[in-house]
Amino acid sequence: MDKKKQIVMSGIRPTGFLHLGNYFGAVRNYVRLQQEYSCFFMVADLHSLTTHPDTALLKQQVFRVLAENLACGIDPEQAVLYCQSHVPETAELYLLLNMLAYVGELEKTVTFKDKVRQHPDNVNAGLLTYPVLQTADIILHRAALVPVGKDQEQHLEMARNFVKRFNHRYGDVFPEPQAFNFGEELLKVPSLDGTGKMSKSENQYATLYLADNDELIQKKIMRAKTDSGPTSPGAPKPDYIVNLFQLMKLVSTPETVAQFEAAYDSCGIRYGDMKTQLAADMIRFIGPIREKAHSIQQDSDYLQKVMRNGAQKARESASQTLQLVKEAMGLTYY
Ligand code: TYM
């Protein structure tokens, strides 16, 4: 099948700086996909409203996420790069899909339960229907492939359920969207504190941001938890050490990783050396992206142009889909 005909869609919430998890779980794949597929990448500003961000900062963060995507290699001539709220068809499709989403299943969503735990005083309906809005984003372009990290697996499963329900009730309009990582397991970039994943909102010292300066990268990595090393050959690695190796695999050469693996296996590993090496490789990786994002951010005319063009292309695709949806649902009266 001609890959150009396959449609790819994904999004990122503008709730803070992009971090290494966003890069390796999502943006790296956007860049790999943009030449051969028909791609739509979006800054999910509406989704971020579910957690009531400071609206004065939101605008700045939307531009920053846009600049960071461009700095990572998204080419706005190849992929459609846009901001969610610029495509009002998203909200229309979201409303129609809400009739097919059951409150019971929405309440069981892991991300919803997490948010209820974190913000018991802000359990709004937007949070509950978050996966419905995400489904609208995806199927608005009738996308089949969705490059995301492991944490989005359940949202994609829900998207498939909503699509199946829609197609069953109204006729085959949408492909069933799949989470995509080139046939590999979806990625989870671990945090530096040995627990969980890197994330925008949790422990800031455990997450490496694409905007971190060299000194901060070094500091965060040197603070990462280690111990005095294995005492017998073949000893299993504790989680926090597994995480360090995983991070090393992302940014260091295979030879470097092999050298530290061998040192671990022979109980000769020095974690101080490993962290120094990891910090140097991480700085080499993040530095150029940070500098590029910084300079793109200075050019607000360019960013606005990218945004405007993206919105226009996204709306063309969205309005075609909505026409099909309305025909399928019998919402065409003249
Ligand atoms: P968000 O903004 O939390 O994350 C953006 C992307 O980064 C991935 N990611 C990770 N991948 C690996 N390891 C990590 N530690 C890690 N942290 C984040 C996420 O999986 C995601 O791919 N609901 C979405 C935004 C969204 C969306 C969509 C995604 C809105 N509409 C439509 C896909 C399609 C979110 O909050 O992602």
Side-chain angles (χ1 to χ4, degrees), residues 190-230:
S191 74
L192 279 168
D193 64 2
T195 60
K197 63 181 171 77
M198 285 199 186
S199 81
K200 292 187 204 115
S201 42
E202 273 145 49
N203 180 358
Q204 303 295 292
Y205 253 92
T207 295
L208 291 163
Y209 296 94
L210 300 181
D212 283 349
N213 64 36
D214 294 355
E215 199 188 333
L216 191 55
I217 296 170
Q218 172 98 14
K219 214 160 152 188
K220 286 182 179 179
I221 291 178
M222 297 317 282
R223 270 175 58 145
K225 179 174 173 182
T226 53
D227 52 31
S228 51

Side-chain angles (χ1 to χ4, degrees), residues 50-52 115-124 127:
T50 54
T51 46
H52 297 177
K115 287 284 187 286
V116 171
R117 241 189 327 269
Q118 289 161 6
H119 311 283
D121 51 342
N122 181 25
V123 184
N124 62 64
L127 267 184

Side-chain angles (χ1 to χ4, degrees), residues 59 89 97 114 129 153 157 206 243 258 274 293 297 304 327:
K59 186 169 167 183
E89 290 81 0
L97 284 177
D114 284 348
T129 55
E153 210 159 36
E157 197 186 315
N243 289 358
M274 182 179 178
Q297 240 177 293
Q304 285 189 11
E327 281 164 17

Side-chain angles (χ1 to χ4, degrees), residues 13 21-22 47 130 134 137 148-149 151-152 187 189 198 200:
R13 265 173 313 143
N22 299 135
H47 272 110
Y130 185 113
Q134 180 158 344
D137 294 330
V148 282
D151 59 301
Q152 294 297 316
L187 209 69
V189 176
M198 285 199 186
K200 292 187 204 115

Side-chain angles (χ1 to χ4, degrees), residues 4 8 30-31 33-35 37-41 70 73-82 306 309-310 313:
K4 196 72 201 170
V8 170
Y30 301 176
V31 176
L33 287 162
Q34 64 182 351
Q35 275 190 2
Y37 294 79
S38 177
C39 292
F40 294 86
F41 300 125
L70 293 164
I74 302 286
D75 174 359
E77 298 300 320
Q78 303 227 33
V80 179
L81 185 59
Y82 68 100
V306 166
N309 287 343
K313 290 189 222 162

Side-chain angles (χ1 to χ4, degrees), residues 322-334:
L322 269 181
Q323 186 56 33
L324 293 175
V325 166
K326 286 180 185 165
E327 281 164 17
M329 295 179 79
L331 292 169
T332 43
Y333 303 110
Y334 50 82

Side-chain angles (χ1 to χ4, degrees), residues 228-234 259-274:
S228 51
T231 47
S232 60
Q259 177 200 329
F260 285 100
E261 288 280 7
Y264 183 90
D265 289 341
S266 63
C267 301
I269 192 154
R270 288 154 56 136
Y271 289 129
D273 292 350
M274 182 179 178

Side-chain angles (χ1 to χ4, degrees), residues 90-107:
T90 309
E92 198 174 347
L93 186 54
Y94 163 64
L95 179 138
L96 299 172
L97 284 177
N98 267 323
M99 319 307 175
L100 297 173
Y102 296 108
V103 171
E105 66 187 331
L106 295 171
E107 279 172 340

